[in-house]
Amino acid sequence: MKHLYRKGSKSSSVTFLLLHGTGGTEYDLLPVARRISSVSNVLSVRGEVHENGKPRFFRRLAEGVFDEEDLLFRTEELNGFIDQAANRYEFDRQNVVAIGYSNGANIAGSLMFHCKNSLKGAILFHPMVPRRGVLLPDLSQTPIFIGAGTNDFISPASETEELLARLEGAGASVEVHWEHAGHQLTFTEIDEAANWYKEHFPSHNI
């Protein structure tokens, strides 16, 4: 998979898995990652599916309607790629925290839904419920931050609330930050995510 890797300044650092939104690239979330933690490793991946020339991580049938077969395939593919990257770049595979926006947040959610212990934690900006009618693995050791917009018509409040219920039902500790905004990513929610990260991963910020 097309990607970039940047080694952090601390050998025991978390590795951020950066997952862009529709039409993005592996460079989009680098400033976000730096704002959250300047010492962490970064593995940033570009989606391999194209929708009208725009990179995505999985196909959709319509706005808000996911191609579940492709979602499952791409989720397993991404999980396998992280395994390979951990070997190649020699980072701790058990210490990966996803930072995803929109479509990237959705595949990060799918990793947690379908691949047990694939992530140590996750920061999900404007996610949706990746899949319904499935039993989630135990997420009791997986802290999660969700950034959401009260006026987000792509990832509406009902999606956030349903995702929150599903994650908490699997034992996850979830914090939701609401912005009085739409689907755009704001500096305020990034800073709230940074505060959340410092609280849940304090030893990785020294």
Side-chain angles (χ1 to χ4, degrees):
M1 300 182 73
K2 190 172 181 60
H3 69 283
L4 63 82
Y5 178 78
R6 293 184 178 176
K7 186 174 177 59
S9 59
K10 186 178 178 184
S11 60
S12 61
S13 288
V14 159
T15 297
F16 285 148
L17 172 67
L18 306 187
L19 302 164
H20 61 77
T22 298
T25 73
E26 64 273 24
Y27 295 96
D28 284 17
L29 294 179
L30 292 177
V32 175
R34 283 194 297 269
R35 197 174 180 98
I36 293 172
S37 171
S38 62
V39 302
S40 296
N41 306 319
V42 168
L43 176 66
S44 191
V45 183
R46 182 184 296 191
E48 296 193 311
V49 171
H50 288 83
E51 181 181 271
N52 299 320
K54 297 179 179 180
R56 283 177 54 85
F57 287 100
F58 58 89
R59 289 195 296 266
R60 59 183 170 182
L61 305 177
E63 184 72 58
V65 182
F66 302 157
D67 181 330
E68 291 195 5
E69 182 178 351
D70 190 60
L71 172 62
L72 290 172
F73 172 77
R74 300 293 177 179
T75 299
E76 293 290 347
E77 181 182 52
L78 178 59
N79 192 49
F81 172 75
I82 302 168
D83 293 343
Q84 295 169 9
N87 289 329
R88 176 179 176 182
Y89 298 114
E90 299 181 334
F91 62 79
D92 183 356
R93 178 62 183 88
Q94 303 305 311
N95 208 17
V96 175
V97 173
I99 302 177
Y101 167 63
S102 192
N103 179 243
N106 294 337
I107 199 163
S110 186
L111 280 171
M112 292 186 289
F113 269 46
H114 299 110
C115 303
K116 186 176 181 179
N117 300 323
S118 57
L119 297 175
K120 182 74 171 178
I123 296 172
L124 309 177
F125 294 117
H126 303 266
M128 297 176 68
V129 179
R131 195 160 176 243
R132 293 174 171 86
V134 295
L135 181 65
L136 273 62
D138 178 17
L139 295 173
S140 58
Q141 302 300 313
T142 310
I144 300 164
F145 175 92
I146 296 177
T150 56
N151 299 315
D152 190 336
F153 295 105
I154 295 176
S155 301
S158 59
E159 285 281 337
T160 301
E161 290 161 357
E162 184 180 347
L163 180 59
L164 171 64
R166 293 298 312 277
L167 293 171
E168 288 186 333
S173 169
V174 187
E175 178 179 324
V176 179
H177 172 75
W178 291 96
E179 287 280 304
H180 296 297
H183 197 64
Q184 70 270 25
L185 184 55
T186 69
F187 286 116
T188 306
E189 64 185 306
I190 296 170
D191 288 342
E192 289 296 327
N195 292 334
W196 170 91
Y197 179 77
K198 290 177 175 66
E199 177 184 348
H200 288 86
F201 298 89
S203 64
H204 299 285
N205 287 280
I206 299 171

